């Protein structure tokens, strides 16, 4: 594993339904002249500014044929290929020093089936665009993550989630996926066509192939009412089952170095849109003042405890009613380092109390607010953190005020040790220190996923440094 600091620097199965590309049995004829052009000198950096890379060539293709050309060029030059969408993953999962493909021009809505309440979209469409289109058709996704500037392929690639014990992570809303394989062929998969691949492709890590289209199962459009109220950590943990019953999309925020908790209920409503929030509290206090104080606390760490207490009292008393996607998604303003692990739901109380005790035992560790606690239903997706178990996600953050890094190593290590102790599994979009040996213990279906990956991409053209740490 190396030093603690270095840890942070950084099934055989048959397939059917493969659709050959129109070029014939060999999707890349020897005399193929490349029409698509890559751009050199592009610097990629994720949204949080925590990881970046300088790909040799950066592509913005418009069609499957252009991507097939890129794959053939990569094969001829012995290069790897990574796909990037919104770039919101706060890890290096999308980084590449070889070829990088941006899917922003492959972003059409292909089909809307109002009878089945399904929508088929190209992989590069942003959820912010999809949400508006669904609204026009009286449809919506049953659950969404906090960030909407992410692509359809990206949101399922790392297992984006929100909250609601009656709801799964976002990939559970996917009913079909189309993959462009390293061979240049297109593989369709769903519950009825290549079902084993489908259970891998719904959380694909970008290593099975290039997702070309995704079909989502939707629900009729609905509005949500959000209500927030204060509590204490001990009280909410004692009454956890009651809260899970009371609200369809229940979550809570704990303010470290205190007992303070903000409980949030989000539930369907027939009331018209309204809001009690204001620019002054949301921006003047909740953003500009907070960022300045966090920057000051990077020189005087003891201020963090005071900031957490003060902002608990200043913020978070709003009531909001609006269309579902406008409640689920919000503006993520602060650049930040993030950890987010899922543990079996029955371990929630024990794990959080241990995290609180760890901070109390080590006054030198400062933890920014909030620690966000959310819940998700079990599923059968091979690399889902919720694979075969109802789960509690515990999300910790350290903000980067004005882009400045703040000490987090000891906080991160203490948190990971507690998560591992209680059967935790890391969110794939976040930076973590797990090796293949760790992941094989955490994910029962990990060997099956590896076998599928090796079958679909035997030369590892879709791997990068992040994925090599996962699979080797």
């Amino acid at each position: 594993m190396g030093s603690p600091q270095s840890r942070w620097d950084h099934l055989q199965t048959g397939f059917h339904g493969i659709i050959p590309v129109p070029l014939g049995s060999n999707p890349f004829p020897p005399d193929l002249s490349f029409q698509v052009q890559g751009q050199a000198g592009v610097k990629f950096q994720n949204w949080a500014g925590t990881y970046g890379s300088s790909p040799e060539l950066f592509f913005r293709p418009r069609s499957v044929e252009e991507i097939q050309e890129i794959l053939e060029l990569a094969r001829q030059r012995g290069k790897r290929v990574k796909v990037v969408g919104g770039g919101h993953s706060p890890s290096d999962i999308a980084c590449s020093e070889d070829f990088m493909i941006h899917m922003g021009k492959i972003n059409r809505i292909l089909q809307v089936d109002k009878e089945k309440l399904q929508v088929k979209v190209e992989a590069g469409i942003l959820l912010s665009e999809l949400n508006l289109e669904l609204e026009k058709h009286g449809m919506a996704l049953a659950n969404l993550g906090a960030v909407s500037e992410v692509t359809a392929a990206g949101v399922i690639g790392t297992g984006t989630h929100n909250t609601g014990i009656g709801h799964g992570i976002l990939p559970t809303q996917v009913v079909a996926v189309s993959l462009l394989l390293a061979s240049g062929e297109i593989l369709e998969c769903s519950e009825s066509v290549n079902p084993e691949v489908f259970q891998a492709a719904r959380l694909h890590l970008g290593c099975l192939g290039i997702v070309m289209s995704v079909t989502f199962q939707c629900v009729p459009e609905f509005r949500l009412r959000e209500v927030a109220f204060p509590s204490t950590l001990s009280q909410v943990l004692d009454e956890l089952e009651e809260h899970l019953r009371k609200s369809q999309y229940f979550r809570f925020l704990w303010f470290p170095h205190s007992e303070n908790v903000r409980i949030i209920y989000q539930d369907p409503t027939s009331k018209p849109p309204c809001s009690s929030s204001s620019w002054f509290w949301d921006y003047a206090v909740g953003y500009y003042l907070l960022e300045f104080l966090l920057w000051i606390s990077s020189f005087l760490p003891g201020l963090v405890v005071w900031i957490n207490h003060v902002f608990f009292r200043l913020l978070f008393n709003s009531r909001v009613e609006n269309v579902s996607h406008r409640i689920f998604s919000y503006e993520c303003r602060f650049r930040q380092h993030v950890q987010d692990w899922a543990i079996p739901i029955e371990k929630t109380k024990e794990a959080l109390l241990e995290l609180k005790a760890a901070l109390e035992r080590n006054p030198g560790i400062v933890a920014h607010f909030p620690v966000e606690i959310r819940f998700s239903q079990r599923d059968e997706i091979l690399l889902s953190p919720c694979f075969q178990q109802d789960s509690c996600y515990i999300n910790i953050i350290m903000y980067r005020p004005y882009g400045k890094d703040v000490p987090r190593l000891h906080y991160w290590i203490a948190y990971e040790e507690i998560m591992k102790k209680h059967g935790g599994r890391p969110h794939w979009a976040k930076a973590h220190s797990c090796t293949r040996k760790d992941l094989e213990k955490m994910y029962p279906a990990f060997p099956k996923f590896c076998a599928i990956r090796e079958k679909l991409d035997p030369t590892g053209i879709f791997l990068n440094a992040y994925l090599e740490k996962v699979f080797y």
Side-chain angles (χ1 to χ4, degrees):
M1 294 290 292
S3 68
Q5 187 64 54
S6 67
R7 290 165 56 193
W8 294 106
D9 292 336
H10 43 238
L11 138 138
Q12 299 304 319
T13 182
F15 307 120
H16 62 279
I18 295 179
I19 302 175
V21 296
L23 298 173
S25 59
N26 179 0
F28 303 115
D31 61 346
L32 179 66
S33 59
F34 297 111
Q35 302 299 319
V36 62
Q37 298 297 314
Q39 183 179 356
V42 173
K43 170 71 175 179
F44 165 74
Q45 190 172 58
N46 66 1
W47 176 85
T50 52
Y51 291 92
S53 63
S54 299
E56 180 179 319
L57 288 176
F58 184 86
F59 298 89
R60 291 180 178 270
R62 295 178 179 271
S63 67
V64 63
E65 290 80 13
E66 289 188 3
I67 299 178
Q68 288 164 346
E69 287 193 15
I70 296 168
L71 289 177
E72 173 58 10
L73 182 63
R75 287 171 48 172
Q76 289 186 8
R77 295 191 183 180
K79 302 296 182 180
R80 289 177 170 177
V81 177
K82 290 310 297 175
V83 175
V84 66
H88 262 272
S89 293
S91 73
D92 55 340
I93 191 170
C95 292
S96 174
E97 300 297 330
D98 289 356
F99 289 2
M100 180 175 285
I101 297 176
H102 189 280
M103 298 290 280
K105 294 181 179 180
I106 301 179
N107 64 345
R108 296 175 301 161
I109 291 182
L110 300 175
Q111 183 180 13
V112 177
D113 189 328
K114 291 187 176 181
E115 184 176 342
K116 292 183 178 179
L117 290 174
Q118 293 180 355
V119 60
K120 182 178 182 180
V121 299
E122 288 186 322
I125 192 171
L126 296 174
L127 289 194
S128 58
E129 300 167 341
L130 175 58
N131 290 332
L132 295 177
E133 287 298 318
L134 289 177
E135 193 174 340
K136 294 177 183 178
H137 295 282
M139 297 163 59
L141 292 172
N143 208 346
L144 288 165
V147 178
S148 59
E149 298 304 308
V150 290
T151 62
V155 80
I156 68 170
T158 55
T160 298
H161 69 96
N162 192 357
T163 193
I165 197 58
H167 298 272
I169 62 175
L170 266 64
T172 61
Q173 299 174 84
V174 173
V175 295
V177 175
S178 176
L179 286 173
L180 177 61
L181 304 182
S183 65
E185 296 171 314
I186 294 177
L187 179 70
E188 302 289 351
C189 52
S190 65
E191 291 282 4
S192 57
V193 178
N194 295 311
E196 285 188 315
V197 179
F198 179 60
Q199 295 298 53
R202 287 204 286 174
L203 203 164
H204 54 77
L205 299 184
C207 67
L208 303 181
I210 297 176
V211 175
M212 296 306 303
S213 70
V214 181
T215 303
F216 290 101
Q217 179 63 54
C218 303
V219 297
E221 179 186 11
F222 62 103
R223 290 197 295 274
L224 286 173
R225 181 174 191 248
E226 178 182 290
V227 177
F229 54 95
S231 185
T232 65
L233 183 61
S234 56
Q235 185 175 8
V236 72
L237 292 175
D238 287 342
E239 299 172 352
L240 188 58
E241 290 187 9
E242 181 181 353
H243 288 298
L244 289 167
R245 288 195 302 269
K246 277 187 175 181
S247 178
Q248 187 173 156
Y249 301 99
F250 157 68
R251 62 189 170 108
F252 67 93
L253 310 177
W254 168 48
F255 289 65
H257 311 293
S258 77
E259 267 281 312
N260 296 327
V261 161
R262 179 200 187 201
I263 295 174
I264 302 170
Y265 284 179
Q266 293 173 336
D267 292 287
T269 182
S270 58
K271 294 182 179 181
C274 71
S275 174
S276 62
S277 63
S278 70
W279 180 92
F280 177 77
W281 292 110
D282 286 353
Y283 283 89
V285 174
Y287 177 61
Y288 296 111
L289 177 59
L290 178 57
E291 184 168 31
F292 175 73
L293 291 175
L294 289 171
W295 180 76
I296 294 294
S297 73
S298 68
F299 304 99
L300 301 169
L303 283 178
V304 170
V305 176
W306 175 82
I307 292 170
N308 288 3
H309 279 275
V310 169
F311 272 78
F312 172 74
R313 302 190 182 281
L314 287 179
L315 302 176
F316 310 136
N317 292 307
S318 62
R319 283 177 167 77
V320 183
E321 286 98 22
N322 214 325
V323 178
S324 59
H325 69 82
R326 302 182 192 276
I327 296 289
F328 287 138
S329 301
Y330 55 83
E331 184 180 353
C332 191
R333 299 166 189 158
F334 287 102
R335 302 311 195 250
Q336 56 196 240
H337 291 284
V338 189
Q339 278 260 43
D340 191 16
W341 286 49
I343 59 174
I345 196 169
E346 62 271 14
K347 299 288 187 177
T348 303
K349 180 176 181 178
E350 190 175 354
L352 279 170
L353 291 180
E354 284 191 26
L355 182 59
K356 182 174 184 288
L359 295 178
E360 291 171 347
R361 286 195 308 270
N362 300 278
I365 299 178
V366 296
H368 291 164
F369 77 84
V371 173
E372 185 175 25
I373 295 88
R374 291 173 286 179
F375 305 89
S376 287
Q377 190 179 59
R378 62 190 292 144
D379 59 54
E380 296 296 326
I381 299 172
L382 301 186
L383 289 191
S384 169
C386 301
F387 181 75
Q388 296 183 346
Q389 63 185 28
D390 291 339
S391 300
C392 166
Y393 280 89
I394 299 177
N395 181 88
I396 65 171
I397 60 173
M398 289 298 284
Y399 294 120
R400 302 178 63 239
Y402 308 121
K404 181 180 181 181
D405 274 336
V406 292
R408 66 189 188 282
L409 177 63
H410 297 296
Y411 185 22
W412 256 225
I413 291 175
Y415 165 85
E416 272 206 0
E417 288 177 350
I418 293 170
M419 295 299 100
K420 289 178 179 178
K421 175 183 175 181
H422 294 290
R425 299 167 180 167
H427 189 321
W428 292 104
K430 319 299 184 185
H432 58 81
S433 65
C434 297
T435 64
R436 173 165 179 157
K437 185 176 180 180
D438 297 321
L439 296 168
E440 285 176 336
K441 295 177 182 177
M442 297 169 179
Y443 292 88
F446 191 82
K448 186 174 182 180
F449 184 95
C450 290
I452 292 173
R453 186 200 70 77
E454 291 163 7
K455 181 81 172 182
L456 297 182
D457 183 23
T459 63
I461 194 172
F462 298 121
L463 295 180
N464 63 358
Y466 174 100
L467 292 172
E468 283 182 336
K469 289 184 288 187
V470 169
F471 295 115
Y472 296 105

